[in-house]
Amino acid sequence: MTDKVRLAPIGLGRWARVLARGAQRGDVIELHSCFSRSADKRAAFQEEFGVPKSAATLDELLADGEVEGVIITTPNDTHRELIIAALEAGKAVYTDKPITHSLEHALEVRRAVTRTGGVFAVGHSARRLSGCRVMKEWLESGRLGDVSLAEANFSNERGLELTPETWRWYADKSPGGTFIQLGVHHADNLQYLLGPVKSVSAHARKLYTKSEVPDAVMAILEFESGALGYIGCGWASPGIYQVRLQGTKANLMYDLDFTHWDESHQADEWSSLVSQSYRDMTRASVDLPPTDMFREQLDEFASAIRGTAEIEVGVDEAIRALAVVRAALESSARNGAAVDIAPLLDDVGVAP
Amino acid sequence: MTDKVRLAPIGLGRWARVLARGAQRGDVIELHSCFSRSADKRAAFQEEFGVPKSAATLDELLADGEVEGVIITTPNDTHRELIIAALEAGKAVYTDKPITHSLEHALEVRRAVTRTGGVFAVGHSARRLSGCRVMKEWLESGRLGDVSLAEANFSNERGLELTPETWRWYADKSPGGTFIQLGVHHADNLQYLLGPVKSVSAHARKLYTKSEVPDAVMAILEFESGALGYIGCGWASPGIYQVRLQGTKANLMYDLDFTHWDESHQADEWSSLVSQSYRDMTRASVDLPPTDMFREQLDEFASAIRGTAEIEVGVDEAIRALAVVRAALESSARNGAAVDIAPLLDDVGVAP
């Protein structure tokens, strides 16, 4: 028991509970403390997850020498301050995606990671879903051949249901709307699968949401490999989560009912991966070995704190995903003209 | 028997036979003559379809007073000359899609249609497939709500199998490659469903084909309605034909095994349309009443000759589809910057 890695969530909303359940499915992590400004939330979280203590202030949490790392699930525009404070206090940091809401904030986070040498992980967990992992295996083994087109869509109804009480309503807190909240997942997935994006052409529109942010975004990505990618994100229609790869030898089509992904040990059961071979229109079901993305990502984070694992999605990978979002918004402001990724990465010190 | 409309195919390849079978499933058309430069092809076609006569030259065919209309299935870059000659000879003209391979040719065709007043139809038949018709019904009845995103893909392996012996190999005969051959179908389908396209941002790449033309094209369409559309076309991967509409009340996803569409009276059996309602991830199968796109389109053409039907896809509708292709190629040459459709239509005299 004393060998477990002692972590503390910062922000105790719905997503903190999803991650806590993931951590508790493993046997690497002890949720040792927690912090929210709300005493009620702290008490409820301690009760629900058997957390021995809580901190009434951020300073109190960060001063707790027993806490080895924090799990941040607060609004995107608060990430920078919390991440840097935790790193400076010597804590390892896991933050939910996107790393920050802006590349400017991400630059400061990156400097803090470099300066402190702290363990830092970003919750781009979707690449760990079995369908994505199996697509990657097919790519690496050559079964797909050369990929020319990759299409992804992540959409839901959220934009129609936002209210001014939620931070996602506001353009300064969630620039890009559906694209920074949903599209950033596929910006990571597709770069995990196909390598770095070179440029992005996009159009973002605010059509049916009453909020300040886009609810319809389409982006074309050009990869360094030459392949073309597409990410479509709606926030004003029923839910979709799909990825399709078109290769010279085969196609793969992944489909997920993401309403089940909170319980990530069961998410694969709500997904399908089908393949299609050259000159064959029939679709064959591909086996999906079970995964548990939230448990795996948090176990990896905790193990990295102890030096027994490496972080798969760290600051640079997360910035590459955020840079696609930023490029898409800049391209949309330029009427779709492609925006290169390299200068954006260079601005924040990431090697293109 | 004598009441049937007497038509004559020009060009007697595979597609002429597909259309001849469609015509013969109906009882409106008599295939009265035919023309190809090859005497062997003429003889074989007469034999296969019971065509009473053939013409050894185009002039001979067009001088035949019994022939009321022609069905053109020759290479795209030959359409202009054949269409204009036939119209000038007083024949009605049905041509396979695209109307021509260039907007410049389309302008000349449009002038000839106006000048002669002849009946003219273009074979954008895919909008007549049951899935597309039912999507249109859902749109018009309000069951989809407001559509923000529409995604379509048409891909096959053709680009990997082209040889220099085929006209589709060459950029001057088939500019845009997969996009003018496959994408133009969805350029018509999506405008049929959602109204006129306002602008197009696209990237076209020649990746794995040895031919001169692009085998990977992605285009983002902005509709006059404000909705965003996407067309993806690969020519170096297994076959896909899909259309998805995302509305505020429901989504519709259409999937077709197009390898069966030559026998268009059976094509609907090889397709599926599924719906998804607001806040519901389950997919429900939607009934598809049987259609027969080639028979229906040719019957309509023949009936229009006799004044008892109106042409659904005439010169202007076909030019709107071709203009999307042209705009996509211009946009790609401008690194994705959106190209407006209105000036392209204005150039050829179509009201934007």
Side-chain angles (χ1 to χ4, degrees):
Chain A
M1 204 64 149
T2 50
D3 275 356
K4 288 193 176 181
V5 181
R6 295 178 302 278
L7 303 183
I10 294 176
L12 302 177
R14 186 179 76 84
W15 205 249
R17 297 201 302 279
V18 166
L19 295 179
R21 292 197 295 275
Q24 293 192 339
R25 284 194 296 275
D27 53 11
V28 181
I29 294 165
E30 180 200 341
L31 295 176
H32 187 72
S33 184
C34 59
F35 168 65
S36 159
R37 281 175 300 187
S38 157
D40 287 349
K41 280 191 179 176
R42 295 198 299 271
F45 192 85
Q46 283 186 261
E47 168 78 16
E48 181 174 357
F49 295 102
V51 181
K53 58 187 174 186
S54 66
T57 66
L58 179 67
D59 287 345
E60 182 187 334
L61 185 81
L62 297 182
D64 184 340
E66 294 189 325
V67 170
E68 298 170 81
V70 298
I71 299 171
I72 296 173
T73 56
T74 57
N76 300 165
D77 65 317
T78 67
H79 284 187
R80 172 187 59 172
E81 183 184 343
L82 294 168
I83 293 167
I84 294 174
L87 287 170
E88 299 283 7
K91 309 302 183 194
V93 175
Y94 172 105
T95 185
D96 191 32
K97 47 57 59 182
I99 177 172
T100 51
H101 77 312
S102 75
L103 280 176
E104 292 71 19
H105 277 203
L107 168 62
E108 294 183 50
V109 167
R110 190 170 189 279
R111 284 182 178 149
V113 170
T114 304
R115 185 169 64 243
T116 62
V119 172
F120 180 70
V122 182
H124 280 293
S125 45
R127 61 158 70 185
R128 295 173 192 262
L129 285 160
S130 193
C132 202
R133 293 298 202 201
V134 173
M135 282 192 276
K136 182 72 168 172
E137 288 170 16
W138 279 54
L139 278 160
E140 291 186 339
S141 70
R143 288 181 75 179
L144 271 175
D146 295 310
V147 170
S148 45
L149 301 180
E151 296 178 356
N153 184 304
F154 195 176
S155 299
N156 65 31
E157 303 91 338
R158 176 69 72 92
L160 296 177
E161 299 167 356
L162 287 176
T163 64
E165 285 69 47
T166 62
W167 58 271
R168 290 182 182 83
W169 176 278
Y170 299 98
D172 61 344
K173 296 178 188 295
S174 185
T178 185
F179 207 65
I180 193 165
Q181 296 305 324
L182 306 183
V184 75
H185 282 288
H186 284 319
D188 180 66
N189 290 333
L190 292 182
Q191 292 188 98
Y192 164 65
L193 292 169
L194 298 175
V197 167
K198 185 179 170 193
S199 67
V200 181
S201 283
H203 291 278
R205 299 287 185 276
K206 197 176 95 57
L207 295 177
Y208 300 110
T209 183
K210 292 187 167 63
S211 74
E212 296 181 356
V213 296
D215 58 352
V217 180
M218 290 186 165
I220 297 172
L221 321 178
E222 182 179 27
F223 291 87
E224 299 280 358
S225 71
L228 294 177
Y230 162 79
I231 300 175
C233 290
W235 238 6
S237 56
I240 296 169
Y241 185 98
Q242 292 186 339
V243 179
R244 175 163 56 204
L245 301 178
Q246 298 181 225
T248 48
K249 293 183 182 172
N251 295 339
L252 282 173
M253 287 80 73
Y254 179 59
D255 190 285
L256 169 74
D257 176 352
F258 61 79
T259 60
H260 292 274
W261 89 0
D262 289 11
E263 303 304 313
S264 62
H265 57 307
Q266 298 167 340
D268 300 318
E269 297 168 28
W270 295 89
S271 68
S272 67
L273 183 68
V274 297
S275 68
Q276 182 187 359
S277 300
Y278 195 81
R279 292 215 136 199
D280 187 354
M281 292 296 287
T282 59
R283 319 281 172 89
S285 181
V286 178
D287 280 343
L288 293 178
T291 61
D292 184 349
M293 60 181 173
F294 299 130
R295 171 184 171 174
E296 290 171 20
Q297 190 154 37
L298 289 164
D299 280 0
E300 176 189 282
F301 171 63
S303 301
I305 293 174
R306 298 289 174 85
T308 59
E310 294 204 349
I311 296 297
E312 180 171 335
V313 182
V315 64
D316 285 6
E317 292 79 10
I319 286 175
R320 286 181 189 281
L322 186 64
V324 169
V325 176
R326 172 68 156 261
L329 298 180
E330 286 191 11
S331 171
S332 183
R334 296 190 210 167
N335 205 19
V339 170
D340 287 338
I341 293 290
L344 299 175
L345 295 177
D346 194 49
D347 284 348
V348 292
V350 178
Chain B
M1 202 62 151
T2 49
D3 276 356
K4 289 193 176 180
V5 181
R6 294 177 303 278
L7 302 183
I10 294 177
L12 302 177
R14 186 179 77 85
W15 207 249
R17 297 201 302 280
V18 166
L19 295 180
R21 292 198 294 276
Q24 292 192 340
R25 284 194 295 276
D27 54 10
V28 180
I29 294 164
E30 181 200 340
L31 295 176
H32 186 73
S33 184
C34 59
F35 167 65
S36 158
R37 283 175 301 187
S38 157
D40 287 349
K41 281 190 178 175
R42 296 195 300 270
F45 191 86
Q46 285 187 260
E47 168 77 17
E48 182 174 355
F49 295 101
V51 181
K53 59 187 172 184
S54 66
T57 66
L58 180 66
D59 287 346
E60 183 187 334
L61 186 81
L62 297 183
D64 184 339
E66 294 189 327
V67 170
E68 297 170 81
V70 298
I71 299 171
I72 296 173
T73 56
T74 57
N76 300 166
D77 66 317
T78 67
H79 284 187
R80 171 187 60 173
E81 183 185 343
L82 294 168
I83 293 166
I84 294 174
L87 287 170
E88 299 283 7
K91 309 302 183 195
V93 175
Y94 172 107
T95 185
D96 191 32
K97 46 54 62 181
I99 177 173
T100 51
H101 76 311
S102 75
L103 281 175
E104 291 72 17
H105 277 203
L107 168 62
E108 294 183 50
V109 166
R110 190 170 189 279
R111 284 182 178 149
V113 170
T114 304
R115 187 170 63 243
T116 63
V119 171
F120 180 70
V122 182
H124 280 293
S125 44
R127 61 158 70 184
R128 296 174 192 261
L129 284 160
S130 193
C132 202
R133 293 300 202 198
V134 173
M135 283 191 277
K136 183 72 169 172
E137 287 170 17
W138 279 53
L139 279 161
E140 292 186 338
S141 71
R143 289 182 74 178
L144 272 175
D146 293 311
V147 171
S148 46
L149 301 181
E151 295 178 356
N153 184 304
F154 194 176
S155 299
N156 65 30
E157 304 91 338
R158 175 67 74 92
L160 297 176
E161 299 167 357
L162 287 176
T163 64
E165 284 69 46
T166 61
W167 58 271
R168 290 182 183 83
W169 176 278
Y170 300 99
D172 62 343
K173 295 178 189 295
S174 185
T178 185
F179 207 65
I180 193 165
Q181 297 305 324
L182 306 183
V184 75
H185 283 288
H186 284 319
D188 181 64
N189 290 334
L190 292 182
Q191 292 188 99
Y192 165 64
L193 292 169
L194 299 174
V197 168
K198 184 179 171 193
S199 67
V200 181
S201 283
H203 290 278
R205 298 288 184 274
K206 198 177 94 59
L207 295 177
Y208 299 111
T209 182
K210 294 189 166 62
S211 74
E212 297 180 356
V213 295
D215 59 351
V217 180
M218 289 185 166
I220 297 172
L221 322 179
E222 182 179 27
F223 291 86
E224 299 279 357
S225 71
L228 295 178
Y230 162 79
I231 300 175
C233 291
W235 238 6
S237 56
I240 296 168
Y241 185 98
Q242 292 185 340
V243 179
R244 175 163 56 205
L245 301 178
Q246 298 182 225
T248 48
K249 293 183 183 171
N251 294 339
L252 282 173
M253 289 79 75
Y254 179 60
D255 190 286
L256 169 73
D257 176 351
F258 61 79
T259 60
H260 291 275
W261 89 0
D262 289 12
E263 301 305 312
S264 61
H265 56 306
Q266 296 167 340
D268 300 318
E269 298 168 27
W270 295 90
S271 67
S272 67
L273 183 67
V274 297
S275 67
Q276 183 187 357
S277 300
Y278 195 81
R279 292 215 138 199
D280 187 354
M281 291 296 286
T282 59
R283 319 280 171 90
S285 182
V286 178
D287 279 343
L288 293 177
T291 61
D292 184 349
M293 60 181 172
F294 299 130
R295 171 184 170 172
E296 290 171 19
Q297 190 154 38
L298 289 165
D299 279 1
E300 175 188 284
F301 171 64
S303 300
I305 293 174
R306 297 289 174 85
T308 59
E310 292 205 351
I311 296 296
E312 179 171 336
V313 183
V315 65
D316 285 6
E317 292 79 9
I319 286 175
R320 286 181 189 280
L322 186 64
V324 169
V325 175
R326 172 69 157 262
L329 298 180
E330 286 190 11
S331 171
S332 184
R334 296 191 211 166
N335 204 20
V339 170
D340 287 339
I341 293 289
L344 299 175
L345 295 177
D346 193 49
D347 283 349
V348 292
V350 178

